[in-house]
Amino acid sequence: MVTLFRLLARIPMPLMHRLGALLGWMVWWCAPDYRRRFKANAENAGFTPDQYRPAVAAAGQMAAELPWLWLRPQGESVLRRVVRWEGVEAFEAAMQAKKGVILVAPHLGSWEMCGQAIGERFLQAFGPITALFRPARKKWMAELIAAGSRDRPGLQTLPTNNTGVRGLIRTLRSGGYTGILPDQVPPLGQGVWAPFLGRPAYTMTLLPRLAQQTGAACFLSVCERLPRGAGYVIRFEPIVGTALTDPKASIEDAAAAMNDAIGRLIHSLPGQYVWDYARYKEPRGDTVVAAAANGEQAQ
C-alpha cells in the first residue's frame, strides 16, 4: 500500500482530482446506505441537492489528494498548491500578541492540506502547529502514517490523552497555536448536547474549555479546493464576541457558539462538507482526555 501511494503521489494534482471526483460518484451510486446518510444529513440541515451535490465529487477528491499530501517527495512544498490566503493578517496579529490561537477547522474542504500548509508557512515566524493525533487502528493506515504522512516540517503532534491535552494547554499559554477538528462526536463524558445545523448533536467540550482556560484567540479555518485542480485557498475568520471565548460563559453556551460558527462556515461552502459523517449519533463510552474535557487545569 505504501508503494502504491508513493506512485500515486507523483501524479499531477489536477488529474488526481478528476479521478477522485469520478471515485466519489462511483461510491455514491454503489453504496445506498452512504447515499441515504449523505442526503439525510444535508437535507435535514436545509440544503438543496444543487447545494450539496458537489460534495459527492469532493469526497472522492479528498481521498485522491491524500497520496500527495502524505507521501510526496520530501522537500516538495505544499505552498505552491495554495493559490492565495485570506484573513492571514488577523491570524498573524493574534499570533504576535502571544496569547495563543486555536484554529477551528471542521471536516470541510481539504483539512489535511490546511494543517500542512499553515505549519509550513508559519514555521519560521511562530513555530510548528500542534495537534492531537490518535494512531491509526488499521495496520495499512498505520504503515502509511509511519512512512511520513504526519512527519512534515511545521507539524507537531501530541497523543490523544490527558498528557497531550496538557501539552496543548502549555502550547497555547506560551503563545503557540493548534488546529482542532471540532465537528466529531466525542466519547461519552467529553461533550454536551448543543444545536448543530438545526439539530441536537453531542458536541466536544475540549475546544471550548481550551479557549476559556487559556484565553487563546479562536479562528475558523478552511482550505477550499478550487475548480479544475487550480489549487486551494486558505481562509481565516476570527470568532469574536461569543460565548466560545468568554471564560464566564457556561460550557453549553460555549459549545453552542462554536457550533453556530461552524454552521456559518458550512453554509458558505456546502459543496465541500463531509455530509456522510454520522454527526448526530449517540456518543460511545471512553476515558481518553476525559479529565481535560471535564475542566482539569494544566499544572
Side-chain angles (χ1 to χ4, degrees), residues 118-160:
I118 289 172
E120 183 178 312
R121 170 162 179 168
F122 298 106
L123 174 61
Q124 296 302 318
F126 306 123
I129 182 172
T130 303
L132 296 180
F133 172 63
R134 184 192 298 272
R137 296 176 180 176
K138 295 183 178 180
K139 182 180 179 181
W140 67 269
M141 182 67 73
E143 290 174 350
L144 285 173
I145 293 172
S149 63
R150 308 275 175 171
D151 299 328
R152 294 287 173 176
L155 292 175
Q156 174 179 291
T157 59
L158 296 173
T160 53

Side-chain angles (χ1 to χ4, degrees), residues 15-271:
L15 176 56
M16 288 299 289
H17 273 176
R18 287 196 290 272
L19 294 174
L22 177 61
L23 173 64
W25 279 104
M26 288 176 60
V27 173
W28 170 268
W29 288 116
C30 294
D33 289 343
Y34 166 85
R35 186 168 64 249
R36 273 194 298 270
R37 184 169 61 248
F38 191 114
K39 292 176 64 176
N41 284 341
E43 292 174 0
N44 288 337
F47 293 97
T48 66
D50 285 345
Q51 291 175 307
Y52 68 72
R53 221 176 258 127
V56 176
Q61 290 171 332
M62 175 186 65
E65 66 197 5
L66 290 180
W68 186 86
L69 285 170
W70 288 3
L71 293 177
R72 66 188 180 278
Q74 288 289 340
E76 187 174 347
S77 169
V78 302
L79 293 184
R80 67 185 179 87
R81 304 288 185 177
V82 180
V83 297
R84 68 178 185 269
W85 299 72
E86 295 181 1
V88 69
E89 295 83 4
F91 169 76
E92 289 176 325
M95 287 300 299
Q96 288 164 358
K98 297 188 181 300
K99 293 184 179 179
V101 168
I102 300 172
L103 298 176
V104 184
H107 290 84
L108 182 69
S110 179
W111 59 89
E112 286 278 355
M113 171 67 81
C114 196
Q116 290 194 23
I118 289 172
E120 183 178 312
R121 170 162 179 168
F122 298 106
L123 174 61
Q124 296 302 318
F126 306 123
I129 182 172
T130 303
L132 296 180
F133 172 63
R134 184 192 298 272
R137 296 176 180 176
K138 295 183 178 180
K139 182 180 179 181
W140 67 269
M141 182 67 73
E143 290 174 350
L144 285 173
I145 293 172
S149 63
R150 308 275 175 171
D151 299 328
R152 294 287 173 176
L155 292 175
Q156 174 179 291
T157 59
L158 296 173
T160 53
N161 54 30
N162 292 330
T163 299
V165 174
R166 293 189 188 99
L168 273 189
I169 294 174
R170 287 192 295 270
T171 294
L172 293 171
R173 286 180 173 166
S174 64
Y177 59 122
T178 184
I180 296 178
L181 290 165
D183 52 341
Q184 305 176 80
V185 178
L188 187 66
Q190 299 177 32
V192 294
W193 290 95
F196 181 77
L197 294 175
R199 297 170 62 191
Y202 198 65
T203 300
M204 71 159 57
T205 54
L206 173 61
L207 193 156
R209 290 197 187 280
L210 285 173
Q212 291 180 331
Q213 290 180 22
T214 66
C218 291
F219 283 77
L220 288 170
S221 179
V222 64
C223 180
E224 177 184 354
R225 295 180 195 87
L226 296 178
R228 296 177 292 278
Y232 303 82
V233 55
I234 289 180
R235 299 187 179 91
F236 300 96
E237 179 186 333
I239 303 174
V240 295
T242 76
L244 178 59
T245 54
D246 181 358
K248 296 181 181 179
S250 69
I251 195 61
E252 290 80 10
D253 287 345
M258 179 182 72
N259 281 354
D260 181 66
I262 297 167
R264 293 197 310 271
L265 188 61
I266 294 170
H267 272 275
S268 73
L269 196 62

